[in-house]
Amino acid sequence: ILDVMGLAHVGKVLGEVRSSTHSIPGSHAEVEADCQKVLLFRCGDSHRLAVPLALVDRLEEFASSRIESAGQRRVVQYRGGILPLVQLGDHVESVRDYPPTAGDKIQVIVFSQGSTRFGVLVEEIVDIVEEAVTVRARGDSAGLLGSVVIGGQVTDFIDVRYLIGRIESEAVSSSSW
């Protein structure tokens, strides 16, 4: 069992966990509505994003020099295998790509479901908060569940299951000729 929050804190990837309560009224169907730990992060254009911490496998930080290419994909050697690295902008419509990190370190959120494992490149892991969140479904952007206010800032929730489906279909497409 991995203590993601403990490792993130020890690795100085983020600050202490904060607890607050916010929900957003609306007329759309509710997707999630309970107190949960949420990972906050940024990608491109300081876009503030979130995922439920329960869906995160690990938080990692890699030296830029460890990033390699396999086919047209960025990858890193990881735990005896190859971890594909994904930019959200390639899969989520409203997230704009950002230039590759020029620094020494790259932050990655690792997700896994069954045999599918991949890392999402992020500009910054902001925090982990415990929040009563009500995300209202919206259909205007594939890959997003909706937007909520967390800590006084509008935050878009990533649809991790959608993202996993996209990654799995890419893997099938690239392996079948």
Side-chain angles (χ1 to χ4, degrees):
I1 298 173
L2 177 66
D3 179 5
V4 175
M5 288 191 343
L7 287 174
H9 185 68
V10 168
K12 297 181 182 171
V13 176
L14 49 93
E16 65 184 56
V17 175
R18 292 189 311 263
S19 180
S20 59
T21 304
H22 297 282
S23 62
I24 292 219
S27 58
H28 299 295
E30 288 184 15
V31 176
E32 310 215 12
D34 59 296
C35 196
Q36 60 182 310
K37 290 183 179 167
V38 177
L39 174 66
L40 302 173
F41 60 99
R42 293 193 186 282
C43 283
D45 270 353
S46 297
H47 198 126
R48 186 173 153 120
L49 301 163
V51 293
L53 187 61
L55 299 178
V56 174
D57 190 28
R58 296 180 61 87
L59 300 176
E60 296 285 355
E61 188 172 75
F62 299 111
S64 298
S65 60
R66 289 191 52 202
I67 307 304
E68 302 179 61
S69 293
Q72 296 181 14
R73 239 187 193 172
R74 286 193 219 173
V75 298
V76 65
Q77 293 180 41
Y78 182 72
R79 299 181 157 226
I82 298 172
L83 180 69
L85 300 174
V86 173
Q87 284 189 254
L88 280 180
D90 293 342
H91 302 280
V92 179
E93 292 175 3
S94 67
V95 176
R96 287 179 236 143
D97 285 330
Y98 56 94
T101 305
D104 293 337
K105 303 283 184 184
I106 294 177
Q107 293 184 343
V108 175
I109 302 170
V110 179
F111 295 97
S112 63
Q113 178 178 335
S115 63
T116 302
R117 178 180 271 178
F118 62 96
V120 173
L121 296 165
V122 301
E123 271 184 72
E124 175 188 17
I125 294 172
V126 175
D127 207 350
I128 294 173
V129 297
E130 191 163 317
E131 191 88 19
V133 178
T134 301
V135 180
R136 309 285 180 186
R138 67 178 207 206
D140 64 341
S141 184
L144 289 183
L145 291 174
S147 300
V148 297
V149 176
I150 297 177
Q153 293 184 323
V154 174
T155 305
D156 287 335
F157 258 76
I158 297 296
D159 185 347
V160 177
R161 288 175 179 87
Y162 169 86
L163 190 58
I164 289 170
R166 292 280 309 243
I167 302 303
E168 286 175 340
S169 68
E170 274 185 6
V172 168
S173 297
S174 65
S175 65
S176 60
W177 299 21

